[in-house]
Amino acid sequence: WEIPFWNPYSFSGNYHLGLSETAVFYPLSFLFLIFRQIDVWVFLTIIEPVIAGIGMYFFLKRIVPNEKSAIFGALAFAFSGIVIVRAVEGLSVGHTLIWMPYVFWGIESFFQTKKIRFLWLILFSLFFSLLAGWFQFTFYIFALGLIYAIFKLYFYSKIYPKSNYLVIIPFLILPLITLFHTIPAFQTLLESSRSALEGRIFSYYHLMPLSHIFTLIIPDFWGNPAAYNYFGKSDYKESIMFIGMVPLVFSIISIIKQKSKEELFFIGAIIISLVLAIDSPLSKLIISSPLPIFSSFLPNRIFLVTTFSFCVIAAYGLDYVLK
């Protein structure tokens, strides 16, 4: 029942609150104060695909007419490679990314209904994601969500009234209401060697070869660490982007058919995320840039955007077939 700024049990003492991934202020972490640690750990692991799937369903229900398509896309994301692998790999990472569909549900719902409660949904989804402690995933969710909101404002400016510019407010408020979390994290970063080392050494190791695209069809094309035979570049958990063969087929159908503006947006997100993760001059330029924090990102973690976007257009593809 104390705020744990410092962990005296790690090495000769180490940061705790400032490490961010400890997720001290993440709302669901407070279950550890009430129930046994093992019970909460199992519950929080099992609940990840459930939370992700529910949010994805409500988002897709707003953009595809057929409910079956929304259920299909939600299941594809809930049991996608990145959600399952990250659920097993650690609580913080998985709980950061599962709030992604809720941000887009809030954005789309606000444009369609103009109800203020969906602005709160956007804000609290980003808030939960950031407090879960895996900043790189939160950054991708924040960036893609903000771009999607601006995209909607730009292409539908004649349809939507000026009040819809309120959709930007949650993105502006988030940095202010999370200073209690980000300031200790930034102070810890200033005293760490991550910015000096990781962006220059390890990030290059996580640029994926173009042949990694085969893992969309065969996720264990390069082996699997559970079987001790993984020989691919980077780590399995960092480079997973498998969504399942059936969703992949429907996403391809969506790509080749006549597309709406929303489909084009997510197809563009797939292309850009792949370009940034694949070993290319552009991705190397970003890694070698002097930008603090961002230059130390592992580039293949952007496959979160790839996975999410593939699941969205897979729902569009099934909806097209059902029609």
Side-chain angles (χ1 to χ4, degrees), residues 1-10 13-26 29-30 32-33 131 180-181 184-185 187-188:
W1 296 96
E2 297 178 2
I3 298 177
F5 294 98
W6 186 258
N7 179 4
Y9 305 106
S10 176
N14 200 2
Y15 293 98
H16 191 77
L17 176 62
L19 291 181
S20 181
E21 193 183 347
T22 52
V24 171
F25 295 115
Y26 181 56
S29 292
F30 288 98
F32 285 108
L33 295 174
L131 294 188
F180 63 90
H181 174 84
Q187 290 175 334
T188 303

Side-chain angles (χ1 to χ4, degrees), residues 207-210 212-213 273-280 283 303:
L207 285 172
M208 306 309 296
L210 185 59
H212 188 70
I213 202 77
S273 60
L274 287 174
V275 169
L276 293 177
I278 298 298
D279 194 342
S280 66
S283 56
F303 286 146

Side-chain angles (χ1 to χ4, degrees), residues 59 62 102-122 148-149 152-153 160-171:
F59 167 53
R62 288 286 184 181
Y102 293 85
V103 175
F104 287 83
W105 174 26
I107 294 170
E108 194 65 40
S109 298
F110 179 72
F111 277 106
Q112 294 183 19
T113 66
K114 302 171 181 63
K115 294 181 178 178
I116 299 299
R117 67 170 179 261
F118 291 110
L119 296 181
W120 287 104
L121 176 61
I122 299 169
Y148 185 70
K152 298 286 288 187
L153 287 169
Y160 297 133
K162 293 182 179 180
S163 61
N164 278 295
Y165 283 91
L166 293 173
V167 75
I168 305 297
I169 290 180
F171 296 93

Side-chain angles (χ1 to χ4, degrees), residues 262-275:
E262 285 76 13
E263 287 175 271
L264 289 172
F265 175 88
F266 287 105
I267 291 171
I270 291 172
I271 295 171
I272 293 173
S273 60
L274 287 174
V275 169

Side-chain angles (χ1 to χ4, degrees), residues 119-158:
L119 296 181
W120 287 104
L121 176 61
I122 299 169
L123 180 60
F124 278 103
S125 301
L126 292 170
F127 184 75
F128 274 48
S129 177
L130 183 60
L131 294 188
W134 200 254
F135 177 72
Q136 187 170 349
F137 280 165
T138 302
F139 173 78
Y140 292 141
I141 297 168
F142 182 96
L144 190 66
L146 180 59
I147 294 170
Y148 185 70
I150 296 172
F151 162 84
K152 298 286 288 187
L153 287 169
Y154 179 78
F155 283 100
Y156 296 95
S157 57
K158 294 182 180 179

Side-chain angles (χ1 to χ4, degrees), residues 28-62:
L28 296 183
S29 292
F30 288 98
L31 292 173
F32 285 108
L33 295 174
I34 304 171
F35 303 103
R36 292 194 311 159
Q37 186 182 47
I38 185 63
D39 294 335
V40 178
W41 190 280
V42 171
F43 171 75
L44 292 181
T45 299
I46 293 174
I47 203 69
E48 288 182 46
V50 177
I51 294 174
I54 291 173
M56 194 68 164
Y57 166 75
F58 283 113
F59 167 53
L60 293 175
K61 197 176 179 181
R62 288 286 184 181

